[in-house]
Amino acid sequence: MSTITMTSRGVEVRHQSRWSAGSDIIAMSGRELRRSLRSVDALVTAFAIPVSIMLVFVVIFGGAISSDGDYVNYVVPGTLVLCLGFGAAATAIGVAQDVATGTVNRFKTLPVLGSAVLHGHVVASLLRNLAACVPVVVVALLLGFRPAAGLSGWIDAGLFAVLIILAFTWLSVLGGLLLSVDAAGSINFVFLFLPYISSGFVAVDTMPGWLHGFADHQPYTPIIETLRALLDGAAPGATLWVALAWLAGILAVGAVGSALVFARRVKG
Amino acid sequence: MTATNRTGPAIDVAGLRKGYGNHAVLDGVDFTVARCEIYALLGPNGAGKTTTVNILSTLVRPDAGEVRIGGVDVLARPAQARRMFALTGQYASVDEFQTGAENLAMMARLNHLQASARRTRVAELLQAFDLSGAANKRVAGYSGGMRRRLDLAVSLIAMPPVLFLDEPTTGLDPRSRAQLWSLVEELAHTGTTILLTTQYLDEAERLADRVGLIDDGRIVATGTPDQLKAQVSGDHIVFSFGERHDVLRAAELALRHCADGAQVETDEATLSVRMPTSDAVEDIRALLAETAKAGIRVSDIAIAGPTLDDVFLTLTGRPSAQERSDDAAGSHEQPTAGEKRATHEEKTHEEKEKAA
Ligand SMILES: Nc1ncnc2c1ncn2[C@@H]1O[C@H](COP(=O)(O)OP(=O)(O)OP(=O)(O)O)[C@@H](O)[C@H]1O
Ligand SMILES: [Mg+2]
């Protein structure tokens, strides 16, 4: 075996700059994107399932729930938010794996911004989910989705989607830090079922009375209604602020909680 | 420039304590490692090896104690200390979904190597660790030995002066083990200080300049491998049999043959008897004659050196902590009074019959 020759030793070879935190995060994001793009499981979760969900809602349920074309316009925003949550939840699995395999520990012993690995997960989730929106929206348009929004409405909807992804992803990061790999894998059920008990798919009035309180006040209802208004070119009004408050709260819990758990958590 | 001590010990650990709940995992650990030395922490499962390494590498905060690496106070200045060492954990932590080259390139980036240095460094390490051929294959397809080598290579990206290796060869086949050993030796020759943990006496013997025997959160003995082994009883002969009932009969013959106070162990799982010896050839000849006379068929004979448990037994006067918990867990399996042992090679339970 050849010898381990060293061109230079120790700290001299390292180069520090104030951009290094940004560079750390880019390196970690690249790592996460590779993970997403190279696993069939991850690709199916990121792209095939959201597109299927959109197809199911519009083609199968759409006809039954309402025979006029309006149901498509009603249901697409809810389906989009459901897909964003579902896609963000995949982050929990990656984070839990990194904790379980000791990768997080290794990163923590490097002279890098400690949380760069988590930021990498978040950046990758953002890019992955924004990319997944494209086929989902295209399918919706093909199936008759006709949003009234102009360019500025689309831009607002896009920015709102970014906020949704960030909030849900940070919550998933926290889940991944706290849960085992298997438990983290089932977080997406929460994101898959909670939207049904909101005004995303059917009006709350049509649900049994005892569900109204929950359906009206859970975060999905204002979030979906805001997105629906933005895509419809309408002013979301007060519901926008309720939605923003929820998302800011979820984001804060996720990000601050993750930072605290990350600083303490070590797999023994 | 950092204010590091360039002449003192590379690693200086004093009075380390760590408890989880009311279980004292580390109960006052002290040791020092000189520059360019290979120091092995040798101990059984649960002795506190990983906990020690995790504290030294800033992952766990101790309840009490002091740690200095290259003169840097690890507890007070973790960020500065992280420039002094690299950790290869107990389980390989390279990414399966990346190729070997990608794993290395990512770590080169995270270690803030200059862009120009990264590519050469990655190629250099792939070459040195015999991974050039698999550089562009995903780690998911690597063998255990290749993963371990990559894991080690990843730690060496920035050539830190101190390297922590937590059970570097556990789970490797003999060839990969030997390969890793020579890599570690080479590193020490090129000026790296190495703290490694192991459960294997032969590994400590082969690699370490000095060994610290750790048990139950305490260092119970320190010395060169020769010094430690000199305190341990010599070789053993292991007789194996085809029939279960022959094992106990042969053990009785062996016991009668041994000096007073010697311990003969039987192992129900492998149908074998293990006896101490000072003259293996003579003892084998005598025992074979006696077993033949008694109509016992011996299926195999092997000579074995002292095990970690022998070292423990001799140095601490009691079996290792691991064995004691095994006793508590499974004493019902024992037909006779005695202690059960788990050898470090195969974790089989052996029953020990004490000389009357
Ligand atoms: N985070 C933790 N919480 C509770 N107990 C812990 C924790 N980490 C370690 N322990 C306990 O501390 C003891 C020592 O563990 P440690 O991992 O240091 O042992 P080890 O010598 O590395 O063993 P092994 O050879 O199995 O790796 C064990 O009994 C373990 O159960
Ligand atoms: Mg360990």
Side-chain angles (χ1 to χ4, degrees):
Chain A
M1 178 164 306
S2 56
T3 52
I4 309 165
T5 49
M6 292 307 137
T7 39
S8 47
R9 290 194 66 85
V11 288
E12 299 85 83
V13 85
R14 287 179 179 153
H15 134 106
Q16 279 289 315
S17 81
R18 60 200 164 103
W19 303 114
S20 67
S23 155
D24 295 345
I25 292 173
I26 291 172
M28 293 293 189
S29 307
R31 164 178 189 264
E32 282 316 309
L33 284 175
R34 274 186 209 120
R35 187 201 317 250
S36 305
L37 294 175
R38 286 180 182 179
S39 131
V40 176
D41 269 10
L43 284 175
V44 167
T45 307
F47 294 96
I49 293 182
V51 167
S52 315
I53 291 172
M54 182 60 79
L55 282 170
V56 166
F57 271 101
V58 177
V59 176
I60 301 179
F61 298 153
I65 293 172
S66 128
S67 48
D68 55 32
D70 279 354
Y71 185 67
V72 178
N73 287 339
Y74 180 83
V75 81
V76 166
T79 312
L80 270 174
V81 174
L82 185 150
C83 292
L84 293 180
F86 179 78
T91 307
I93 302 174
V95 172
Q97 278 172 347
D98 281 352
V99 174
T101 56
T103 315
V104 162
N105 275 355
R106 166 166 261 164
F107 289 147
K108 277 173 123 177
T109 64
L110 296 177
V112 302
L113 173 69
S115 54
V117 59
L118 301 186
H119 290 288
H121 276 285
V122 172
V123 171
S125 168
L126 185 62
L127 297 177
R128 192 178 66 229
N129 283 296
L130 286 176
C133 279
V134 174
V136 173
V137 170
V138 166
V139 165
L141 290 171
L142 290 176
L143 294 173
F145 177 48
R146 293 293 173 266
L151 183 62
S152 73
W154 277 98
I155 291 174
D156 290 346
L159 292 175
F160 190 62
V162 167
L163 182 61
I164 294 173
I165 298 169
L166 288 178
F168 288 172
T169 299
W170 272 112
L171 198 62
S172 304
V173 168
L174 179 61
L177 287 173
L178 291 172
L179 301 172
S180 71
V181 176
D182 285 344
S186 48
I187 282 189
N188 61 20
F189 286 107
V190 177
F191 289 99
L192 211 47
F193 287 105
L194 219 47
Y196 295 128
I197 316 168
S198 77
S199 62
F201 301 91
V202 292
V204 172
D205 299 344
T206 64
M207 296 179 189
W210 55 271
L211 270 178
H212 289 189
F214 179 78
D216 279 332
H217 295 105
Q218 71 130 321
Y220 271 105
T221 293
I223 291 170
I224 291 172
E225 283 179 0
T226 298
L227 187 65
R228 190 181 287 139
L230 292 174
L231 288 174
D232 203 26
T239 186
L240 170 71
W241 300 108
V242 180
L244 289 181
W246 269 112
L247 289 173
I250 293 171
L251 186 62
V253 168
V256 175
S258 296
L260 292 177
V261 175
F262 185 79
R264 313 194 88 231
R265 166 117 202 187
V266 174
K267 257 287 204 294
Chain B
M1 200 54 235
T2 52
T4 56
N5 178 349
R6 298 205 175 271
T7 51
I11 305 173
D12 192 355
V13 176
L16 223 48
R17 282 173 200 285
K18 178 74 189 175
Y20 289 106
N22 51 11
H23 173 199
V25 171
L26 295 185
D27 195 10
V29 167
D30 310 76
F31 62 92
T32 58
V33 183
R35 268 158 216 271
C36 307
E37 192 178 34
I38 303 184
Y39 185 91
L41 272 180
L42 175 66
N45 287 127
K49 303 182 297 294
T50 298
T51 306
T52 305
V53 167
N54 281 349
I55 291 173
L56 265 57
S57 52
T58 73
L59 292 171
V60 171
R61 276 199 82 82
D63 300 333
E66 259 186 72
V67 181
R68 284 178 185 279
I69 296 178
V72 176
D73 184 337
V74 171
L75 304 177
R77 303 169 169 274
Q80 196 186 339
R82 285 184 196 123
R83 299 180 179 288
M84 312 292 301
F85 69 83
L87 163 70
T88 305
Q90 186 163 353
Y91 305 100
S93 53
V94 283
D95 290 329
E96 295 210 324
F97 50 86
Q98 301 201 82
T99 67
E102 283 167 348
N103 269 290
L104 283 164
M106 176 183 77
M107 293 306 268
R109 216 185 153 127
L110 291 173
N111 274 289
H112 305 143
L113 295 208
Q114 280 148 10
S116 54
R118 274 185 230 150
R119 199 186 280 262
T120 33
R121 190 79 186 102
V122 169
E124 201 173 72
L125 284 166
L126 285 169
Q127 172 84 35
F129 285 77
D130 202 10
L131 289 167
S132 298
N136 296 315
K137 294 204 180 84
R138 288 197 209 154
V139 173
Y142 279 24
S143 69
M146 290 162 80
R147 274 175 209 229
R148 264 289 168 195
R149 293 208 302 278
L150 180 63
D151 204 31
L152 188 53
V154 157
S155 297
L156 298 176
I157 279 279
M159 240 8 239
V162 174
L163 186 62
F164 301 135
L165 302 174
D166 195 3
E167 298 197 24
T169 66
T170 301
L172 292 190
D173 64 32
R175 194 181 140 269
S176 311
R177 248 181 128 201
Q179 204 172 16
L180 213 92
W181 282 348
S182 47
L183 284 167
V184 170
E185 276 173 337
E186 256 172 54
L187 278 170
H189 287 146
T190 59
T192 307
T193 305
I194 295 169
L195 170 68
L196 70 88
T197 78
T198 181
Q199 305 187 31
Y200 306 127
L201 185 66
D202 60 338
E203 181 159 290
E205 202 178 328
R206 159 75 195 267
L207 287 178
D209 299 310
R210 275 186 319 127
V211 177
L213 208 60
I214 183 168
D215 182 33
D216 231 356
R218 249 181 295 235
I219 305 251
V220 293
T222 314
T224 65
D226 285 344
Q227 287 168 343
L228 287 181
K229 272 207 352 185
Q231 303 175 48
V232 173
S233 53
D235 290 341
H236 287 75
I237 310 169
V238 181
F239 294 93
S240 303
F241 305 90
E243 305 285 338
R244 195 183 174 86
H245 65 264
D246 283 345
V247 176
L248 278 180
R249 291 170 63 205
E252 270 167 37
L253 292 177
L255 202 55
R256 231 176 292 154
H257 187 78
C258 286
D260 270 0
Q263 289 172 333
V264 173
E265 297 161 22
T266 63
D267 184 339
E268 300 259 327
T270 60
L271 299 182
S272 62
V273 171
R274 185 171 181 271
M275 63 178 282
T277 180
S278 49
D279 183 348
V281 174
E282 175 50 35
D283 285 344
I284 288 173
R285 199 171 48 199
L287 248 291
L288 278 182
E290 287 182 37
T291 48
K293 211 160 53 182
I296 300 170
R297 219 183 72 78
V298 176
S299 65
D300 194 23
I301 301 175
I303 300 178
T307 66
L308 173 57
D309 286 337
D310 299 321
V311 179
F312 258 93
L313 208 57
T314 312
L315 291 178
T316 65
R318 60 187 169 80
S320 64
Q322 172 69 33
E323 285 177 57
R324 276 180 278 123
S325 64
D326 285 352
D327 281 347
S331 48
H332 61 279
E333 289 170 29
Q334 288 174 272
T336 51
E339 290 140 317
K340 204 159 350 130
R341 326 197 69 198
T343 70
H344 70 281
E345 276 116 350
E346 40 195 18
K347 315 229 157 138
T348 55
H349 295 294
E350 296 174 0
E351 279 160 30
K352 199 190 301 173
E353 295 189 342
K354 290 199 171 140

